Amino acid sequence: MAAPTGELTSSQKVIRRIAILIGKTPPAVLNVLAGAPTNNAGARMAPEIALLMKATAAGPDYSDHDPVDARAMTDADIATFADELPPLDLVEEFELPGGLAATRYRASTTPQGLLVYFHGGGFVLGNRASYDAPARLLAIHSGLDVLSVEYRLAPSHPFPAAVDDALAAWEFAVERAPEWGIDRARIVVGGDSAGGNIAAVLAQQLRGSDVRPAAQALLYPATDFSASYPSHTEFADSPALSAKQIGWFLGHYIPQGTDRSNPRLSPIQAKDLSGLPPAVVTVAGFDPLRDEGTAYANRLADAGVPTRLLREDGLVHGFISFTAISPSSRDATVRFANAITEVLSVSRVG
């Protein structure tokens, strides 16, 4: 696997230092500097996030470029703001069947289970290297091993490649778990954004299997590509994830003529959600995907699935990548990791 951040350029180092200093500035001062907006629900954006959004809005938009150039742009941004974390007990790389790859992170000599994690990036962007810091952070604060999966990306590999790869990764994890000293009944599936979509779909596909996920951990997941929600309109111009960028992602991922209500694309459209593993769902208050994530959590709960919904009212889409510069984002990520541990502690699926 490529180095998670590589050697930063001089300008990236300067930007990183400034951003970290901003994150350490007292909130009262930042509120004056940032002029943080308020959403329709009355929540105020975290001030360090508001400043980051202003800077992002003034910069280039990856959706104006082809996927190759867009990946280079977003990888550079992630490298600039990647969290610095202590060494882990183990970081191990694997080649999976079908040419896939994954990295396992272990922060504890006695892991409480395994999180099979699928990164975000709209099914087009992202990789294990760009998600190295989030995977480490989740491993440290959940007490679980984290298996970070590098699934195939669109447009070279459109739907359903990613969800097919997720099933292959699950089968690999189930096979290897005993070798890693992990009970197969304590394997969680999870992911953020597109990765949350993949994890939700995988949890549905595995219903009724001999070995099922002990829980599903969904961080600002995409759950419905077939309908419009109020947050889509409210945050259509969000620098973190705009309507234009969503259209760019889906144009690459979903083949023309595909039924967008297919539950393998839009897991909220499944007729029956009963019998699925317990869920942790985190939504961000300034995220266009907020309402569909909330709707999916509500549907799970209505179907009798033990569900914990975490609302991070002051944050935006993608906050798991802002933890080095945003204390609010780091705190929210730690809450997400802790919630996974708590749900797993009372979950007994298998």
Side-chain angles (χ1 to χ4, degrees), residues 186-199:
R186 298 182 65 79
I187 306 177
V188 178
V189 295
D192 66 289
S193 191
N197 172 281
I198 293 167

Side-chain angles (χ1 to χ4, degrees), residues 5-340:
T5 58
E7 181 64 28
L8 298 181
T9 65
S10 297
S11 61
Q12 286 175 321
K13 290 178 181 178
V14 171
I15 293 169
R16 178 183 175 85
R17 290 193 192 101
I18 292 172
I20 291 174
L21 284 173
I22 289 172
K24 293 179 178 179
T25 302
V29 176
L30 280 182
N31 275 322
V32 174
L33 295 174
T38 300
N39 64 20
N40 289 346
R44 184 174 295 278
M45 185 180 290
E48 77 275 17
I49 293 293
L51 285 174
L52 177 62
M53 291 300 97
K54 288 183 178 180
T56 302
D61 183 343
Y62 57 79
S63 66
D64 290 328
H65 301 268
D66 64 48
V68 173
D69 289 342
R71 288 168 192 152
M73 292 170 62
T74 54
D75 285 353
D77 288 341
I78 290 171
T80 302
F81 301 126
D83 216 337
E84 293 182 353
L85 298 163
L88 302 187
D89 281 8
L90 179 147
V91 177
E92 185 177 17
E93 296 180 34
F94 296 95
E95 289 187 6
L96 280 61
L100 305 179
T103 303
R104 180 167 66 106
Y105 298 84
R106 170 169 288 184
S108 170
T109 54
T110 55
Q112 301 302 304
L114 174 67
L115 170 61
V116 181
Y117 195 82
F118 304 98
H119 65 76
F123 310 97
V124 178
L125 310 175
N127 51 54
R128 289 176 298 143
S130 61
Y131 267 72
D132 181 80
R136 289 171 183 265
L137 193 61
L138 291 172
I140 290 168
H141 290 283
S142 71
L144 309 180
D145 280 10
V146 174
L147 186 69
S148 178
V149 179
E150 191 158 306
Y151 53 90
R152 291 173 294 169
L153 298 176
S156 299
H157 303 284
F159 173 81
V163 291
D164 289 342
D165 291 351
L167 184 58
W170 168 262
E171 292 171 348
F172 174 82
V174 169
E175 178 185 349
R176 291 296 186 95
E179 177 184 324
W180 299 336
I182 295 171
D183 187 341
R184 286 172 171 162
R186 298 182 65 79
I187 306 177
V188 178
V189 295
D192 66 289
S193 191
N197 172 281
I198 293 167
V201 170
L202 179 60
Q204 291 187 16
Q205 290 187 151
L206 293 170
R207 182 168 42 187
S209 299
D210 291 340
V211 182
R212 293 170 286 155
Q216 51 184 316
L218 314 178
L219 184 60
Y220 40 80
T223 67
D224 195 354
F225 299 129
S226 66
S228 180
Y229 293 79
S231 59
H232 292 172
T233 301
E234 182 178 357
F235 306 113
D237 295 323
S238 171
L241 179 66
S242 67
K244 174 175 175 284
Q245 290 165 345
I246 292 173
W248 183 83
F249 284 132
L250 299 189
H252 287 307
Y253 180 58
I254 303 176
Q256 191 171 10
T258 301
D259 179 6
R260 293 194 176 194
S261 65
N262 181 340
R264 297 186 78 207
L265 263 178
S266 299
I268 200 172
Q269 294 299 330
K271 293 181 179 179
D272 181 14
L273 298 182
S274 63
L276 292 176
V280 174
V281 182
T282 292
V283 297
F286 290 79
D287 182 358
L289 304 191
R290 180 195 64 198
D291 291 351
E292 62 186 86
T294 302
Y296 192 59
N298 291 339
R299 275 213 61 203
L300 288 170
D302 290 344
V305 176
T307 302
R308 182 170 179 182
L309 175 62
L310 303 179
R311 302 176 189 271
E312 300 296 348
D313 291 337
L315 298 183
V316 297
H317 192 83
F319 68 73
I320 198 172
S321 296
F322 306 152
T323 55
I325 62 172
S326 167
S328 302
S329 296
R330 186 178 241 272
D331 290 347
T333 302
V334 171
R335 280 190 288 271
F336 177 68
N338 290 341
I340 298 170

